[in-house]
Amino acid sequence: MKWTSAVVFGILAAAWIVLGQSEPSSARFAEASPPLVDGAAMRPQTFDARRAEEMRAFPAAETEPGPEDRIITVSRGDTLIGILTDNGVDRASAHSAVSTLRKVFDVRRLQIGQDITLTFKPSTDGDQFLGMALRPTPDRDVLVKLDDGGSFTAEEAERALDRRFAYGAATIDSSLYEAAIDANVPIDVLMDLVRVFSFDVDFQRDVQPGDRFEVLYEGFDDEFGDRVRNGDIRYAAITLSGKTLAFYRFTPSSGFVDYFGPDGRSVRKALMRTPIDGARLSSGFGKRRHPILGYTKMHKGVDFAAPSGTPIMAAGDGVVEMAERFGGYGNYVRIRHNSEIKTAYGHTSRFAKGIRAGSRVRQGQIIAYVGTTGRSTGPHLHYEVMLNARQVNPMSIKLPTGEQLAGKDLKKLQALIPTIDAEVDAARAEASVVASNEGR
Ligand SMILES: [Zn+2]
């Protein structure tokens, strides 16, 4: 366990904008993006001194020696009670404080690397424990403190964050993925971007060098101007061989947030063309010589080469029919989308949490991870589309188009578009100023 001690006196008075007093901001988070792939967004916060001041459970009294803070970084094997008793808190108080904290924080979620601020009142006959505070997610603080009556009370506060728009654009030299990384688009935003385009774009075949993308997305900054997390994409466009597809985030009267083209057509199709991000099409549909068995065989799906563990998404809304070992397919998932269409996913390493026969899945939801189970020569996704129980070529099947806004919804979207366009114009102008300054 490592710990640092920060003894801070009355100068802190100004910093008590603190816990419990920040303005309610729940409305702002109501549209927060869905959980992102494997923890891309949330990481335990590491504190600097500034944060430590802000996170103290107790303000310092000006007349007597102030409370003392110890910032403890959670190490492997630590428990909250252990941390407290190691710091001289008696067992009864430690248990009481932790059970109080449970009201606002699931202590099993304590993460290695997480910082906890313990506050003590220095005293010659043993420091008195006053409370503790931690920040489980970048926008939420929780704390426990000793009240006047000598018992612990819990508090939590959502931090007020400023929403700002961030912008990224680049010419694609090799892949959208590399172009977006080069343009400093965060990985969680990139994953969303791929998802927005994946209904229309076959990344393997459609993207050529010289194509471009552009994205405007939300970022949430703390009171120091530091980016705490990224939000939703507001606008995304991709230009393929001179033709631009642009999509705007909009919530129609149905209440389901989606991305729409200027004509009111939803980006969402019955099926995604590529149910996996950033993968290479390694084997097409049709006759091929079987690499293991040696004879010519009909390949009833398409293969996407991707590293083991790459998330596989449900190509459309539907109900899982199978999620189990299935002969040469290995760990196999099959989804029924409607009375005619099913999709199947083979050789996966494992199923995503909650995926079993009967589970209802949303388009783009992660259902499994790439592997090489069953009859397979290396990590890849074997993907099949079945139309009336017969496998068809996923790359050439004509996909039904998505929702088309009409009436009031279409009018509302079209009223919103000039606002977003103006935001994009402003971001473009700012980006070009930055670029020309960098070029000097
Ligand atoms: Zn295959």
Side-chain angles (χ1 to χ4, degrees):
M1 186 190 303
K2 72 175 182 198
W3 63 275
T4 45
S5 172
V7 183
V8 203
F9 297 102
I11 43 163
L12 292 176
W16 304 126
I17 27 173
V18 143
L19 316 174
Q21 289 171 33
S22 38
E23 64 187 271
S25 54
S26 51
R28 202 177 285 175
F29 299 104
E31 280 196 304
S33 47
L36 297 160
V37 183
D38 283 350
M42 296 302 180
R43 243 167 235 115
Q45 285 286 94
T46 305
F47 282 51
D48 52 31
R50 194 175 58 178
R51 295 262 157 62
E53 294 169 10
E54 197 204 8
M55 286 294 292
R56 298 182 54 209
F58 272 81
E62 296 201 31
T63 48
E64 52 187 68
E68 180 193 314
D69 287 336
R70 294 178 202 161
I71 301 166
I72 311 296
T73 303
V74 176
S75 305
R76 186 174 296 278
D78 279 351
T79 64
L80 211 41
I81 298 220
I83 287 170
L84 291 175
T85 53
D86 286 353
N87 278 275
V89 179
D90 67 82
R91 286 202 77 81
S93 299
H95 275 282
S96 168
V98 170
S99 72
T100 304
L101 183 66
R102 282 208 180 94
K103 291 176 188 163
V104 292
F105 175 62
D106 180 354
V107 296
R108 289 167 305 180
R109 302 209 147 205
L110 198 65
Q111 292 184 61
I112 293 165
Q114 168 94 55
D115 284 341
I116 303 172
T117 305
L118 307 184
T119 305
F120 294 88
K121 184 179 177 190
S123 160
T124 45
D125 48 303
D127 297 347
Q128 187 191 6
F129 176 58
L130 297 181
M132 63 180 156
L134 65 144
R135 180 165 291 161
T137 59
D139 52 14
R140 188 169 157 258
D141 296 328
V142 294
L143 69 83
V144 160
K145 61 185 187 183
L146 199 63
D147 62 22
D148 294 338
S151 51
F152 290 102
T153 55
E155 285 178 19
E156 65 179 319
E158 227 166 70
R159 304 172 75 205
L161 301 176
D162 288 328
R163 187 180 79 152
R164 300 216 167 86
F165 287 122
Y167 174 81
T171 299
I172 302 166
D173 292 322
S174 52
S175 71
L176 173 68
Y177 181 86
E178 283 172 52
I181 295 295
D182 286 348
N184 295 321
V185 173
I187 191 85
D188 48 341
V189 175
L190 169 59
M191 297 296 269
D192 287 349
L193 188 66
V194 166
R195 229 160 278 178
V196 170
F197 292 140
S198 62
F199 301 96
D200 289 275
V201 179
D202 171 353
F203 288 104
Q204 172 65 19
R205 294 198 298 191
D206 298 347
V207 178
Q208 306 289 334
D211 288 343
R212 282 185 62 77
F213 82 94
E214 195 172 29
V215 61
L216 186 76
Y217 59 96
E218 296 166 329
F220 293 91
D221 296 352
D222 66 15
E223 60 272 39
F224 307 110
D226 294 334
R227 180 59 42 89
V228 167
R229 63 181 178 85
N230 300 303
D232 293 308
I233 290 174
R234 185 148 166 94
Y235 169 87
I238 190 163
T239 303
L240 302 170
S241 307
K243 190 168 171 260
T244 298
L245 293 166
F247 298 108
Y248 299 83
R249 182 181 161 86
F250 175 67
T251 311
S253 49
S254 67
F256 290 106
V257 184
D258 207 346
Y259 291 89
F260 295 89
D263 57 355
R265 190 174 60 82
S266 160
V267 72
R268 219 164 271 277
K269 308 291 190 294
L271 290 182
M272 292 160 88
R273 286 225 182 264
T274 45
I276 182 166
D277 290 337
R280 183 172 58 84
L281 184 77
S282 56
S283 178
F285 186 87
K287 282 205 178 93
R288 71 165 181 191
R289 204 174 150 76
H290 196 283
I292 292 178
L293 302 177
Y295 54 83
T296 303
K297 193 172 180 275
M298 181 67 185
H299 187 223
K300 291 178 172 177
V302 293
D303 291 344
F304 294 100
S308 274
T310 303
I312 301 164
M313 297 177 276
D317 290 359
V319 176
V320 175
E321 258 189 358
M322 286 175 72
E324 60 198 64
R325 277 256 166 194
F326 186 42
Y329 286 103
N331 290 332
Y332 172 87
V333 180
R334 191 161 72 211
I335 301 171
R336 179 180 184 276
H337 300 288
N338 58 33
S339 59
E340 296 178 321
I341 299 176
K342 294 175 184 180
T343 54
Y345 312 79
H347 312 308
T348 75
S349 58
R350 62 189 173 94
F351 308 123
K353 219 174 159 188
I355 298 300
R356 62 183 72 89
S359 314
R360 196 161 275 285
V361 291
R362 299 280 305 181
Q363 189 167 56
Q365 183 180 336
I366 294 166
I367 51 166
Y369 299 87
V370 169
T372 183
T373 55
R375 194 177 291 154
S376 166
T377 50
H380 75 284
L381 167 66
H382 171 91
Y383 174 54
E384 292 182 0
V385 176
M386 281 166 267
L387 187 63
N388 297 317
R390 280 193 51 182
Q391 286 92 345
V392 295
N393 186 349
M395 291 301 148
S396 59
I397 182 180
K398 267 228 175 305
L399 301 173
T401 55
E403 185 187 1
Q404 170 68 52
L405 296 180
K408 263 189 188 157
D409 277 336
L410 184 58
K411 282 213 176 80
K412 273 174 75 179
L413 171 71
Q414 288 174 339
L416 175 67
I417 285 176
T419 308
I420 299 181
D421 282 344
E423 290 162 0
V424 173
D425 281 342
R428 262 185 215 141
E430 199 176 311
S432 71
V433 168
V434 171
S436 67
N437 285 343
E438 280 172 354
R440 260 173 223 163

